[in-house]
């Protein structure tokens, strides 16, 4: 995760202060807390916590010389929620958030069209589908890295088997 990716989780841009990060964290925590959003809250909170921790640890870089004013504004949390909600509604799917990407395995052949509609892509070397934010199109390639190396480098938020329930309630 880099600074812009973490800011995008919160939908922040420009000159960001510690207070801005904490306010955005509180807003998203209330929305995605597992008590309020039992289906997807756990995965979303792991991503939100990781983004907050990363931003607070790199606050000096944000303040001094690495301003995000020129970077594209991108609110990733809503998009991630929608993708996770769709994946949770599929049967026999296993998904895992690694950094800001979602890796998808299990019985994916039966859901190929749905995964394509969600803008997921097939990683032939890893034999898994993945979803990434639009902003990542050419910025990062996992190339020859194994899925275990990717987990180690970017951190995994754990695997989750889909529930197969199509009508999950929104937070």
């Amino acid at each position: 995760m880099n600074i812009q990716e973490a800011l995008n989780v919160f939908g922040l841009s420009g000159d960001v202060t510690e207070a801005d990060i904490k306010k955005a964290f509180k807003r998203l925590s209330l929305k995605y807390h597992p008590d309020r959003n039992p289906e997807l809250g756990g995965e979303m909170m792991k991503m939100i916590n990781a983004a907050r921790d990363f931003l607070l640890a790199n606050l000096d870089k944000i303040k001094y010389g690495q301003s995000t004013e020129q970077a594209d504004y991108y609110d990733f949390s809503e998009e991630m929620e929608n993708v996770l909600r769709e994946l949770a509604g599929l049967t026999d799917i296993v998904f895992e958030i690694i950094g800001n990407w979602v890796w998808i395995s299990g019985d994916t052949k039966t859901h190929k069209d749905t995964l394509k509609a969600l803008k997921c892509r097939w990683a032939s070397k890893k034999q898994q589908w993945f979803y990434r934010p639009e902003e990542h199109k050419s910025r990062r390639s996992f190339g020859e890295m194994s899925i275990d190396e990717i987990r180690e480098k970017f951190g995994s938020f754990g695997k989750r088997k889909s529930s197969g329930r199509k009508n999950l309630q929104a937070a």
Side-chain angles (χ1 to χ4, degrees):
M1 186 176 294
N2 65 36
I3 291 172
Q4 190 58 48
E5 292 169 355
L7 289 171
N8 290 344
V9 169
F10 293 118
L12 297 173
S13 64
D15 292 327
V16 177
T17 65
E18 183 175 358
D20 295 331
I21 296 166
K22 289 181 177 181
K23 182 178 176 182
F25 174 78
K26 183 174 182 178
R27 176 181 52 84
L28 291 179
S29 294
L30 289 171
K31 181 175 182 177
Y32 295 116
H33 192 278
D35 289 344
R36 291 184 177 197
N37 191 343
E39 292 293 330
L40 302 174
E43 286 80 14
M44 291 297 294
M45 284 306 301
K46 290 172 189 174
M47 182 181 68
I48 292 164
N49 284 329
R52 179 205 53 197
D53 294 345
F54 182 83
L55 288 174
L56 292 177
N58 290 286
L59 199 55
D60 289 341
K61 290 180 183 176
I62 296 170
K63 289 181 183 177
Y64 304 107
Q66 298 216 1
S67 176
T68 60
E69 286 185 55
Q70 301 301 321
D72 294 332
Y73 171 78
Y74 187 77
D75 187 353
F76 181 58
S77 62
E78 294 289 327
E79 186 176 328
M80 178 65 95
E81 178 189 15
N82 293 334
V83 169
L84 291 177
R85 188 169 305 287
E86 288 293 323
L87 291 174
L90 301 176
T91 55
D92 299 322
I93 294 289
V94 176
F95 54 95
E96 177 180 16
I97 301 173
I98 302 176
N100 279 359
W101 292 44
V102 180
W103 289 89
I104 306 150
S105 59
D107 183 18
T108 59
K109 285 185 181 181
T110 58
H111 303 292
K112 182 178 178 180
D113 292 335
T114 302
L115 294 171
K116 284 183 176 182
L118 289 172
K119 298 181 183 173
C120 297
R121 296 181 183 242
W122 176 249
S124 58
K125 291 182 181 176
K126 288 151 191 68
Q127 294 295 299
Q128 292 189 29
W129 288 84
F130 65 92
Y131 168 79
R132 63 181 178 204
E134 285 293 319
E135 68 172 17
H136 291 252
K137 283 207 177 205
S138 62
R139 292 171 70 186
R140 182 184 298 148
S141 172
F142 293 119
E144 299 300 320
M145 293 175 73
S146 72
I147 197 72
D148 289 331
E149 291 170 327
I150 295 169
R151 281 185 193 109
E152 186 176 321
K153 182 172 182 173
F154 297 101
S156 170
F157 300 125
K159 291 182 179 181
R160 175 161 178 211
K161 186 166 172 59
S162 60
S163 65
R165 293 192 300 162
K166 295 285 184 189
N167 296 322
L168 301 177
Q169 292 185 357

